[in-house]
Amino acid sequence: MKIIVSMILALTLALGLCGALAAPVTLPAYVYPGDDPILAAVTHYMVDVDQRFQPDDGGVLVPAPIVLKTEMNENETEATVYGNFWIFGYVLDGKVLKCTCGGENPGVMKLAKGEEGAWTVVSMESAEEGDTFVSSIRALAHGDEALFEQYRIASDGDAGYLPQYRRAFLIDYIVSNGLDIEAYQDYGWDPVSLIN
């Protein structure tokens, strides 16, 4: 009887230890690591304010904004940023960031520079969904055909600008947080290497 109780106790401890070892790793929150104050405000808005997507438990949202054009007012206290503001949620599986959510948000952000020099997004106009998607992007571009074409390319998740931007923002996130991550993976696709 003592042997059976000892075996059950050992098995219970082993299973508990395995469960503790298999606990998911909590990824650090995304914080823009660069020195572009406008991009810092844009990424902050995407991750912390917009709230269109929420990371899974232990996961992280990492933006991949494709800034197509930035216009400043005369005093450089207001900025208009045209872009496709992609964002993705990830959880860590070994050395791979598995994508759990994400998408694009083509639009125009209006920013203001505060008295202390920090930029803040004060408004965002997004493209409409469905049948009016293309016409709403044309409206965002205000008749600028070159900008409209850039929006079109920025909406192509496979062959457009996105792969290089997504990779760059992920590498910056990994390096700035000292993480041992080698790739990211979308559901149903092969992992994409993040090692240079």
Side-chain angles (χ1 to χ4, degrees), residues 17-26 92:
L17 181 59
C18 289
L21 293 175
V25 174
T26 298
L92 188 60

Side-chain angles (χ1 to χ4, degrees), residues 118-136:
W119 287 89
T120 304
V121 175
V122 293
S123 69
M124 179 168 179
E125 181 181 1
S126 297
E128 297 171 9
E129 296 180 9
D131 294 342
T132 57
F133 180 76
V134 173
S135 61
S136 69

